Amino acid sequence: MHATALSLLAAAVLTGPAAQGDYTTDAPGVIRKITLGSLPSPGAGKIGVSPPAIVARPPGAKLAVPAGFTVSQFAALEAPRQLKTAPNGDVFVSETAAGRVKVLRAPAGAAKAATVETFVAGLDRPFGIAFWPPGPNPQWIYIASANSVARYPYRNGDLKARGPAQTIVAKIAASTRDHSTRDLAFSPDGRTLFLSVGSGSNDAEGMGKKPLAEAKAWDAAHGVGAAWGDEADRADVLAMDPMGRGRKVFAAGIRNCVSMDFQPGTSNLWCAVNERDLMGDDLPPDYVTRLKAGGFYGWPWYYLGAHEDPHFKGERPDLAGKVIAADVMIASHSAALGMTFYAPGKGVAAFPAEYRGEAFVALHGSWNRAKRTGYKVVRVLMKNGAPTGAYQDFLTGFVADAKGVWGRPVGVAVARDGALLVTDDASGAVWRVAYQKEKK
């Protein structure tokens, strides 16, 4: 796209159907705001299927960031996915397909990791990582695999597990098919461990049906809108103590909460969610949202409030008024994966003050859409600590052309020096976005 056209886009606020857009309207600074009133009706739009071809980075292809920022490759790994920054500044990264968690270490302000070590290997699709207790001196590192959670004794600076795994959750659910990314987050006081569990299907095709009276009885025992059958203990966020005891459904009806983070200075747990496919190019949007204890977010019977999924028409009228609409809707099929809040106010690479307290979300990119969308990192815009419903393109440029992409963002984390780190499981890179302060 011509530079003049890009500069005009960067000043745009896209609403209505235009907010969905596609990769050709991406540029740092573009703001999108999708509202419930702008959603099409089920069946009103076509269903596109366009899986991306993963291609080599085209000659001259550059990632785009807002003015004042730079982007460089921090490390090269094997399909890196989730990542978390330890209190001492080390960065732990899940190489999910390889069954490993690696540690990256770099001096503050360094453009590249100086040390890359394998912390633990031989795991079953590891993803989520968390440190406990919260604070500057954790004693354990928790790692979530496809169907279990274990913790390892840890001290700041450890590059390898200093002891054997201690199993916290031996079995998360009865099945591990489909969505296997399990994320972890501790409450700020360290008393509660949250575990996200994606659904075992697109739209509960094999879950089976229950008469309304039985469904209500199930809800009473398992939580409002909790899934059953082969989806039991899935499509939700679970809560338990740090030893895995007292497990219960914290929030249900969440098709695939891939990543969680607590909003700094609050008790608000946020979640980045992949919504269902095969309902149309622009339906339903993915989303990021605050989670409410005991909240129900719709899947599979509803989506984004009391919008009934036509596949389940009339099955759960009792839930219609209980569905919580999302705080921020993301263009449909963007595949919202990693999310993190930007907290640091200092550091050699720290972002300007207006970024503090806002969230960054990695969009892995669409396959179930005629014109691809996603393949970028966006900024969730806040006002006085509350979401505005809008988000802004921040890091773009991973799409080569209408058929191929050379990068797919997955995880986001803030480095100790204030830089934003982004994993990319297509190119194998960990990218570093830093702000360059103006010289006086």
Side-chain angles (χ1 to χ4, degrees):
M1 187 177 291
H2 192 276
T4 302
L6 283 174
S7 64
L8 290 173
L9 275 173
V13 178
L14 304 180
T15 59
Q20 295 268 6
D22 61 64
Y23 79 95
T24 63
T25 61
D26 290 346
V30 174
I31 296 174
R32 304 172 189 275
K33 187 171 184 178
I34 300 171
T35 61
L36 293 175
S38 69
L39 299 182
S41 300
K46 61 182 178 181
I47 298 175
V49 177
S50 181
I54 306 301
V55 301
R57 184 176 182 176
K62 293 183 179 180
L63 294 174
V65 288
F69 291 85
T70 63
V71 58
S72 60
Q73 185 169 335
F74 185 69
L77 300 175
E78 185 178 341
R81 305 214 84 201
Q82 185 63 294
L83 76 169
K84 292 290 176 71
T85 303
N88 76 323
D90 287 343
V91 179
F92 285 71
V93 186
S94 296
E95 289 182 315
T96 302
R100 296 188 295 254
V101 172
K102 285 191 172 177
V103 190
L104 311 180
R105 178 175 292 171
K112 291 185 178 294
T115 301
V116 180
E117 292 283 355
T118 297
F119 182 79
V120 66
L123 305 179
D124 179 16
R125 291 165 285 170
F127 189 78
I129 301 166
F131 300 90
W132 187 87
N137 295 299
Q139 304 298 301
W140 299 89
I141 180 171
Y142 284 62
I143 299 174
S145 296
N147 206 23
S148 64
V149 179
R151 69 178 188 174
Y152 299 80
Y154 172 79
R155 300 295 182 274
N156 282 327
D158 285 353
L159 293 174
K160 294 186 179 296
R162 63 168 52 221
Q166 183 180 103
T167 300
I168 299 302
V169 179
K171 184 178 181 181
I172 296 172
S175 67
T176 60
R177 72 179 188 280
D178 288 350
H179 307 124
S180 64
T181 51
R182 313 286 181 244
D183 202 24
L184 299 169
F186 278 102
S187 59
D189 63 9
R191 295 180 180 179
T192 305
L193 172 63
F194 295 91
L195 168 64
S196 66
V197 189
S199 68
S201 62
N202 173 46
D203 206 10
E205 292 85 355
M207 187 174 77
K209 299 181 180 181
K210 288 181 181 289
L212 186 56
E214 289 185 17
K216 288 183 176 181
W218 179 270
D219 284 5
H222 298 87
V224 175
W228 57 70
D230 58 5
E231 295 286 359
D233 291 319
R234 303 194 65 168
D236 57 19
V237 171
L238 305 174
M240 62 201 76
D241 76 5
M243 293 302 297
R245 297 170 301 208
R247 182 168 122 179
K248 63 181 180 181
V249 175
F250 178 76
I254 307 169
R255 179 177 176 268
N256 189 17
C257 171
V258 180
S259 187
M260 300 180 291
D261 196 19
F262 273 90
Q263 184 176 3
T266 76
S267 59
N268 295 330
L269 178 61
W270 283 68
C271 186
V273 179
N274 271 203
E275 255 293 352
R276 65 208 84 185
D277 297 313
L278 303 175
M279 283 186 65
D281 272 10
D282 294 335
L283 200 70
D286 289 342
Y287 61 88
V288 292
T289 195
R290 293 167 288 190
L291 296 182
K292 295 182 179 179
F296 172 61
Y297 293 81
W299 190 89
W301 299 281
Y302 296 87
Y303 60 91
L304 298 169
H307 292 84
E308 192 170 42
D309 185 321
H311 299 104
F312 300 92
K313 187 173 180 60
E315 287 188 20
R316 293 300 305 268
D318 58 308
L319 294 177
K322 299 177 181 178
V323 187
I324 300 171
D327 287 316
V328 183
M329 288 178 277
I330 306 289
S332 302
H333 314 302
S334 291
L337 298 190
M339 78 165 294
T340 191
F341 279 93
Y342 193 86
K346 58 183 179 180
V348 296
F351 291 10
E354 58 264 31
Y355 287 86
R356 296 174 199 164
E358 297 194 325
F360 287 98
V361 182
L363 306 182
H364 197 230
S366 62
W367 67 268
N368 175 219
R369 201 169 192 269
K371 293 183 178 180
R372 64 187 74 263
T373 189
Y375 310 97
K376 59 186 176 182
V377 175
V378 299
R379 169 191 178 192
V380 175
L381 300 177
M382 312 283 280
K383 184 176 182 180
N384 298 323
T388 65
Y391 65 97
Q392 184 179 51
D393 290 354
F394 181 75
L395 172 64
T396 65
F398 291 101
V399 180
D401 53 37
K403 295 182 179 179
V405 303
W406 62 269
R408 304 193 75 178
V410 179
V412 283
V414 181
R416 181 174 51 175
D417 63 7
L420 184 72
L421 301 177
V422 181
T423 57
D424 166 4
D425 66 358
S427 74
V430 178
W431 301 101
R432 178 180 183 266
V433 182
Y435 184 70
Q436 303 296 305
K437 297 177 178 62
E438 294 182 4
K439 295 182 179 179
K440 296 183 179 179

